[in-house]
Amino acid sequence: MSKKTRKKSSNTTGKRVATKVARAASASTGKSATKTRTTAAKKAAAKTTKTRTATGVRSKASHKAASKPLKREPAASVTKPSAVTLAEGAAAPAFSLPRDGGDTVSLKDFAGKKLVLFFYPRADPPGCTREAIDFTRLKSEFTASGTEVVGISADTVKAQESFRNKHQLSVPLVSDPAHQLLEAYGAWGKKSMYGRTFMEIIRTTVLVDSGGKVARIWRHVKVDGHAEAVLEAARAL
């Protein structure tokens, strides 16, 4: 190989080496730049995500706080208990109230007769139904002893009529939704159930003699045998 050829070969080899080095450097620089851009992009994305998450949390918290209903104070409830304590021997309180069928029942309608007033909590529950049926069953015997029988509750006239028709009751059923008669005869008072105290009708029966005086009072009545016990008391007057 001549000197000129060796020089040309050396230059060519040098150029190739230089080109490879340059390409490697360029590739390295490109990779570095790409890596740098990728890292920067990841950081920016993470920052954006974090910002969006924080904004979403604040927005959600704000929405939750806004939709939370305001706490309202419970409405005051005032119940006036009966101030009347009816005693045996006292004059029977007068009354005039509507009954089933649309008529009106008054104390004066029974002047000269003995009268049984039985107060029951509601029309149609088992205990009230049994009591009304028992008084109906013994009605003729009460009549024979000169005694009339009337049932009273706070139900409407319509409810009393449904009660009468359903069980074929023959005693008058008086409607006292305003509790006037109930309070006058002491059949409206406090009851407790499951730790809760409330005002309701207390199952009560009052026997009025022919002179209009209270002869007997049964409070917190137990239904079984009660109508028979009242009949015996009426017969004894």
Side-chain angles (χ1 to χ4, degrees):
M1 181 182 294
S2 66
K3 185 176 181 180
K4 184 177 182 179
T5 300
R6 284 197 302 271
K7 184 176 182 180
K8 183 178 181 180
S9 175
S10 176
N11 290 340
T12 300
T13 302
K15 286 181 180 180
R16 286 177 180 175
V17 172
T19 300
K20 287 183 179 181
V21 171
R23 286 179 180 176
S26 176
S28 177
T29 302
K31 287 181 180 181
S32 178
T34 301
K35 185 176 180 180
T36 301
R37 287 195 298 271
T38 302
T39 302
K42 286 182 178 181
K43 288 182 178 181
K47 186 176 181 180
T48 301
T49 302
K50 186 176 180 180
T51 302
R52 287 177 180 175
T53 302
T55 302
V57 170
R58 287 195 299 270
S59 177
K60 186 176 180 181
S62 176
H63 177 71
K64 185 176 180 181
S67 63
K68 186 177 181 181
L70 295 175
K71 185 177 180 181
R72 296 181 180 179
E73 293 296 329
S77 177
V78 179
T79 304
K80 183 180 179 182
S82 174
V84 177
T85 303
L86 192 67
E88 294 178 359
F95 62 88
S96 182
L97 290 169
R99 57 159 290 185
D100 60 304
D103 294 331
T104 299
V105 174
S106 301
L107 180 64
K108 62 183 181 181
D109 296 338
F110 306 99
K113 295 181 180 180
K114 291 174 283 188
L115 175 64
V116 171
L117 300 173
F118 70 95
F119 301 86
Y120 55 96
R122 283 177 301 281
D124 215 33
C128 300
T129 300
R130 169 73 182 280
E131 185 178 19
I133 289 175
D134 284 350
F135 276 114
T136 292
R137 175 172 52 82
L138 297 173
K139 183 180 178 182
S140 60
E141 295 186 51
F142 276 105
T143 300
S145 70
T147 308
E148 297 294 330
V149 179
V150 175
I152 305 100
S153 75
D155 295 290
T156 63
V157 170
K158 184 177 180 180
Q160 300 287 39
E161 290 174 347
S162 297
F163 185 36
R164 175 202 63 194
N165 296 338
K166 181 177 180 180
H167 302 287
Q168 300 180 344
L169 305 175
S170 61
V171 296
L173 300 177
V174 170
S175 176
D176 183 24
H179 310 150
Q180 296 175 356
L181 182 57
L182 293 164
E183 291 189 19
Y185 281 80
W188 178 254
K190 287 183 179 180
K191 279 188 176 181
S192 296
M193 183 178 290
Y194 305 116
R196 184 172 64 91
T197 301
F198 52 94
M199 298 297 291
E200 194 179 59
I201 296 173
I202 299 171
R203 197 184 301 277
T204 304
T205 299
V206 177
L207 173 61
V208 180
D209 65 22
S210 57
K213 297 292 183 71
V214 176
R216 287 285 303 275
I217 301 175
W218 292 264
R219 299 201 185 278
H220 304 286
V221 169
K222 303 297 181 184
V223 174
D224 290 341
H226 176 62
E228 287 80 2
V230 176
L231 177 60
E232 289 303 314
R235 286 171 173 168
L237 287 179

